[in-house]
Amino acid sequence: MKKKRSYMIVLVVIGIFIVVYFITCLIFSNFNFKVVFGKEERTLNYLDCTENVSEIVVNVASDNLIFNKSEDNAVHVKYYNSNLYQFDIAYDDGLLTINQKRLWYSIFNFNKKYIIEIAVPDTNIYSATLKLSSGDVNIEDLKSNLLDINTSSGKIAVNNIIADRTNIKASSGAIDIKNLNSLELDTQSSSGSIRISNITVDKAQFRLSSGDLDLIDSSIKSLTINGSSGKIESSKLSLETCNIDTSSGNVILGVVTPDVSIYKMNLNTANGSISVSGGGYDITTKSSLITGNGTQLIKVNVSSGKLIINFEVL
């Protein structure tokens, strides 16, 4: 009987809270039932910034984001204003800020995503910082000292980028990077695959919690990979040094080099086989292998999985 009374009290308290919250939302929305129940209305808007833009900061709550090259010397922004999401766009001394924020008193949201399109002149900007809560981002033809992308849920596609530093972080969603020229690349993914093709980077670091990593036809001087679960594979990869540490998953490296003798290899797997071929190598073993007398170190540690390295001499 006491338990039943306690449950009733809890249900009454929850009911009161829901009613109070609903009334509060109605008051703040000026009793706009469309807003409270998430019935979205969009209008197309344009913004042209002819001032000199050296930094761009974008925070997106819902929509997808496209970044591409402007046909003139101005920054052009195309977006869809919403009765559920508030846009705040400001320019101050070279800094262009674009914020999209969901109205807290809009309870439901079952609407489709729209596209925010930003066109930037073909000149070097100091930094572009892009943060998306939910939505895809597609960036092409950008020159920047710093490119920083952070998404909670959504795909990231980067193409034809020149940057000193490139930082990419995705909590959930695939990452596709191609035609990137950067001094430093730091890529982190909690859940989702990473595909890299035709990049030239001095120092690259990849951190993966779950998901595969593919490196295709790229040049990386210093490569570091930390993975928890997923396959790591490369083909036609030119590198000087690399350090790979993964808990679970096969590591298959296809390396192109004019001279295999520049490398020293320190390879370890707790549960799996080790195979090294090409460039005069034909070795198959288990557990660990140290070979080569070069000055460039290839170090790989695999807790569970195969370890395969194939050299292709140019």
Side-chain angles (χ1 to χ4, degrees):
M1 193 70 178
K2 288 183 178 180
K3 286 186 177 181
K4 187 175 181 180
R5 183 177 297 175
S6 299
Y7 290 146
M8 290 298 296
I9 293 173
V10 171
L11 290 175
V12 169
V13 171
I14 293 174
I16 293 172
F17 174 80
I18 292 174
V19 171
V20 171
Y21 177 69
F22 179 71
I23 293 174
T24 303
C25 291
L26 282 175
I27 292 172
F28 276 88
S29 68
N30 291 321
F31 293 91
N32 189 329
F33 283 86
K34 287 185 178 180
V35 171
V36 173
F37 286 99
K39 184 174 177 56
E40 189 172 31
E41 297 174 349
R42 293 272 192 159
T43 56
L44 178 59
N45 284 50
Y46 295 91
L47 182 142
D48 300 317
C49 184
T50 57
E51 303 289 341
N52 180 43
V53 176
S54 58
E55 297 180 69
I56 299 176
V57 176
V58 181
N59 292 287
V60 179
S62 172
D63 289 343
N64 299 322
L65 177 64
I66 292 179
F67 228 92
N68 52 31
K69 184 170 64 176
S70 172
E71 297 298 327
D72 53 31
N73 293 323
V75 175
H76 303 282
V77 182
K78 176 183 175 182
Y79 65 101
Y80 291 83
N81 216 349
S82 167
N83 60 328
L84 304 183
Y85 293 90
Q86 180 181 1
F87 275 90
D88 183 13
I89 302 177
Y91 174 84
D92 182 27
D93 194 24
L95 172 62
L96 178 63
T97 304
I98 302 172
N99 290 317
Q100 182 196 42
K101 184 179 180 181
R102 179 175 170 81
L103 300 177
W104 67 267
Y105 44 81
S106 178
I107 300 176
F108 303 102
N109 184 12
F110 305 102
N111 303 287
K112 73 173 185 178
K113 296 181 185 298
Y114 284 73
I115 294 175
I116 302 171
E117 185 173 347
I118 303 174
V120 180
D122 188 22
T123 56
N124 191 67
I125 64 173
Y126 179 75
S127 68
T129 303
L130 316 175
K131 185 176 181 180
L132 289 82
S133 296
S134 174
D136 301 336
V137 55
N138 190 319
I139 304 176
E140 292 187 354
D141 304 319
L142 177 68
K143 297 177 182 178
S144 177
N145 288 39
L146 170 64
L147 174 61
D148 195 318
I149 306 171
N150 191 325
T151 66
S152 297
S153 175
K155 295 183 292 185
I156 298 175
V158 173
N159 182 29
N160 197 24
I161 304 297
I162 299 175
D164 289 343
R165 288 186 296 147
T166 306
N167 302 323
I168 298 176
K169 182 178 180 181
S171 297
S172 175
I175 299 174
D176 186 2
I177 304 173
K178 55 187 177 182
N179 302 315
L180 169 72
N181 193 322
S182 185
L183 296 178
E184 296 182 16
L185 171 63
D186 189 344
T187 305
Q188 183 175 351
S189 174
S190 298
S191 175
S193 62
I194 301 176
R195 179 180 171 86
I196 309 294
S197 60
N198 195 30
I199 72 168
T200 301
V201 176
D202 285 355
K203 182 179 180 181
Q205 180 174 12
F206 298 94
R207 289 170 285 178
L208 304 90
S209 297
S210 175
D212 297 339
L213 169 62
D214 289 314
L215 294 161
I216 304 167
D217 195 18
S218 296
S219 176
I220 301 173
K221 290 183 179 180
S222 176
L223 172 64
T224 301
I225 302 174
N226 299 103
S228 295
S229 175
K231 182 177 67 173
I232 298 170
E233 185 171 3
S234 75
S235 61
K236 296 187 179 299
L237 175 64
S238 173
L239 58 82
E240 293 183 5
T241 65
C242 81
N243 190 338
I244 300 174
D245 196 328
T246 182
S247 298
S248 176
N250 297 332
V251 175
I252 305 171
L253 298 181
V255 179
V256 293
T257 178
D259 186 6
V260 176
S261 67
I262 66 173
Y263 295 113
K264 178 179 181 179
M265 287 174 280
N266 187 340
L267 312 176
N268 299 276
T269 177
N271 184 15
S273 61
I274 298 173
S275 175
V276 181
S277 61
Y281 282 103
D282 186 11
I283 301 174
T284 300
T285 186
K286 292 183 178 181
S287 299
S288 64
L289 173 66
I290 298 177
T291 185
N293 298 311
T295 58
Q296 309 298 337
L297 179 63
I298 297 178
K299 184 177 181 180
V300 183
N301 290 302
V302 182
S303 297
S304 178
K306 296 179 182 179
L307 201 171
I308 300 172
I309 297 180
N310 180 49
F311 290 107
E312 179 183 344
V313 180
L314 299 175

